[in-house]
Amino acid sequence: MQKVQFNFHTEMFRQTEQLAVARVRLQQTMPDRRLKILSFGSSIGEEIATLRFMFPDHDVYGCEIDDRLLDICRRSVGALATIFKSSVENIAAHGPFDLIVASAVLCLNPTPLNAVELFPVSRFDELVAMLDESLVPGGIFVITNAAYRFTESPVGKNYDTVRADIVSTAGHVDVFTRAATPYLTQITSTGSVVYQRHGDFVPRDDEDLADSVFEKRLPNAKPAIRELRLRPPPQGLTVITHHKRLNIDWAKRRVPDRCVVIEFDYQFCRLDRTGEFGYVQTISWTSLVGEGVHRRLPTWHLVP
Ligand SMILES: C[S@@+](CC[C@H](N)C(=O)[O-])C[C@H]1O[C@@H](n2cnc3c(N)ncnc32)[C@H](O)[C@@H]1O
C-alpha cells in the first residue's frame, strides 16, 4: 500500500466531536456489541489513546504505514490496542470493524502543486473502497481532513450521513473535485479555517462543510440522513454577555471574495437552576448552495 499523507502531525482528542457522534449512533444501532474500532493511519498513537479513552469497553486497533511511527506507536500505546502495519491484507485480516477512523490520512497537507497527480481521486476511491470492505453493514466511517468528498465517491453512495449539532467542520485541508480542480482552498487554518471556494462545483447542501460521519447502509435500507442532537441549550438561561467572532478575523491578509465566512455567535450565560456558567454557540456560514447564510442549531458548552 502507498503512503498518502506524509505529515504525521497528531493530537489527543482531535476528533472528539465526530467520535462522540459515532459513539452515540453505535449505542443506538448496536447497543450490546463489543465494538471493533480501527484508527487508520495512527501516527505515533494519539488517536489510539483517544479511542481507548472514549470507547473503554471496546477493542481498538491501529494501523500505520511508516515503520518508524509504527515502532513509536507500539512502544507508547501498544498496551491499549492491537497495532499493525498498514496493508490491504492486514486490514482485512484484523477486520471487519464497526468503526473506522481515517483522520488526516487521505490528503496531502500542506498541498503540493502536483497534489492531484500524487494523490488522484482514483487512489482515494480505491482506499475508501478497501476500508469499506472491512466495515460491517451499519458500521460508522469517520473521515476528516480528506482531499476529496467521501459522499461523491462510488462507495460513499452506499452510506447515510450522520449529522449532529456538535460537528461543524470536516477539517481544514484543501479539497478537490473529482475532476481534479480545486473546490475549497485553505487560506488560513489558525483559529477557524478560512476556505476560498473555486469553480462551479455545488455540493448537495450546506452541511458539506461539516459532513464527516457516515453510516454504512444496511442492505435494502432506504437512503436517509441521520440527525442527532447532542448538546442542546438547556431551559432557564440568563444571558450575561453576547458577541460574535468571524473566521476571517484570524486571516493574516485580506480575504478573497469567494471565501466562506463563518460566524460564531456566543452568548455567555448563567444556568438559573444550578448557578453554573456556560455559553450558547450558534455557527452560521455563507451558503454554499444559494444566497444568504446557513444557520446551524445552537449548542451548549459548560465552562468549568
Ligand atoms: C497527519 S497523520 C494523522 C494521524 C491521526 N490519524 C490523527 O488524525 O491524529 C497521517 C498519518 O497517516 C499515515 N499514513 C499515510 N498513508 C497511510 C496508509 N496508506 N496507511 C496507513 N497510514 C498511512 C502517515 O504515515 C501519518 O502517520
Side-chain angles (χ1 to χ4, degrees):
M1 192 190 292
Q2 269 181 335
K3 190 182 245 194
V4 187
Q5 169 64 300
F6 279 77
N7 184 336
F8 69 98
H9 174 82
T10 186
E11 288 163 33
M12 286 281 293
F13 298 109
R14 196 175 193 187
Q15 314 296 339
T16 319
E17 287 81 12
Q18 279 86 354
L19 298 182
V21 170
R23 188 173 57 188
V24 168
R25 184 61 188 153
L26 287 165
Q27 271 162 4
Q28 291 175 348
T29 58
M30 306 181 184
D32 302 320
R33 186 148 159 157
R34 190 175 173 98
L35 302 171
K36 285 181 71 173
I37 302 167
L38 175 67
S39 160
F40 173 70
S42 43
S43 182
I44 58 169
E46 303 305 70
E47 190 169 273
I48 288 174
T50 304
L51 284 166
R52 176 78 272 162
F53 180 75
M54 291 190 70
F55 294 84
D57 301 325
H58 302 281
D59 296 322
V60 178
Y61 295 73
C63 69
E64 170 55 54
I65 203 155
D66 183 291
D67 288 326
R68 188 183 72 86
L69 301 172
L70 193 62
D71 283 348
I72 299 175
C73 212
R74 285 191 170 123
R75 170 177 50 76
S76 55
V77 295
L80 308 183
T82 304
I83 295 167
F84 60 93
K85 170 100 177 180
S86 181
S87 72
V88 175
E89 299 73 26
N90 285 349
I91 290 171
H94 285 88
F97 301 99
D98 304 296
L99 167 60
I100 296 180
V101 181
S103 156
V105 182
L106 302 175
C107 65
L108 292 167
N109 182 55
T111 312
L113 283 175
N114 56 347
V116 290
E117 285 157 38
L118 293 175
F119 185 43
V121 71
S122 56
R123 193 80 196 97
F124 175 82
D125 288 348
E126 269 170 38
L127 283 168
V128 294
M130 181 273 297
L131 293 171
D132 169 72
E133 289 276 309
S134 288
L135 187 68
V136 298
I140 299 277
F141 193 4
V142 169
I143 175 164
T144 54
N145 277 317
Y148 301 97
R149 284 299 185 240
F150 178 65
T151 45
E152 303 280 311
S153 69
V155 92
K157 311 247 183 293
N158 304 327
Y159 283 69
D160 291 331
T161 307
V162 184
R163 289 184 174 162
D165 49 356
I166 63 168
V167 174
S168 60
T169 173
H172 59 266
V173 303
D174 289 355
V175 184
F176 295 87
T177 68
R178 295 184 63 78
T181 56
Y183 159 42
L184 296 171
T185 308
Q186 171 192 150
I187 295 176
T188 172
S189 61
T190 314
S192 165
V193 63
V194 180
Y195 266 140
Q196 179 181 5
R197 293 185 70 198
H198 296 267
D200 53 9
F201 174 71
V202 179
R204 60 181 176 162
D205 64 32
D206 280 310
E207 283 292 306
D208 184 65
L209 230 49
D211 288 340
S212 44
V213 182
F214 306 97
E215 180 174 311
K216 187 168 173 175
R217 199 174 303 124
L218 296 172
N220 303 322
K222 284 204 184 115
I225 289 185
R226 317 266 167 211
E227 313 243 1
L228 297 177
R229 191 92 168 97
L230 269 66
R231 214 180 277 157
Q235 295 289 316
L237 292 173
T238 300
V239 178
I240 300 167
T241 63
H242 179 203
H243 77 281
K244 296 176 185 205
R245 169 70 53 222
L246 300 178
N247 62 336
I248 57 174
D249 295 342
W250 275 288
K252 294 189 188 77
R253 54 187 163 90
R254 202 169 160 270
V255 294
D257 289 344
R258 290 196 76 200
C259 95
V260 183
V261 178
I262 306 178
E263 181 188 275
F264 300 83
D265 180 298
Y266 294 102
Q267 289 187 315
F268 285 88
C269 305
R270 190 181 54 247
L271 181 57
D272 299 337
R273 191 166 39 83
T274 63
E276 289 170 298
F277 292 93
Y279 61 93
V280 176
Q281 184 189 51
T282 309
I283 299 178
S284 44
W285 55 69
T286 323
S287 176
L288 306 175
V289 292
E291 298 297 315
V293 295
H294 167 63
R295 192 169 298 282
R296 308 192 82 243
L297 290 169
T299 50
W300 170 244
H301 307 257
L302 266 179
V303 175

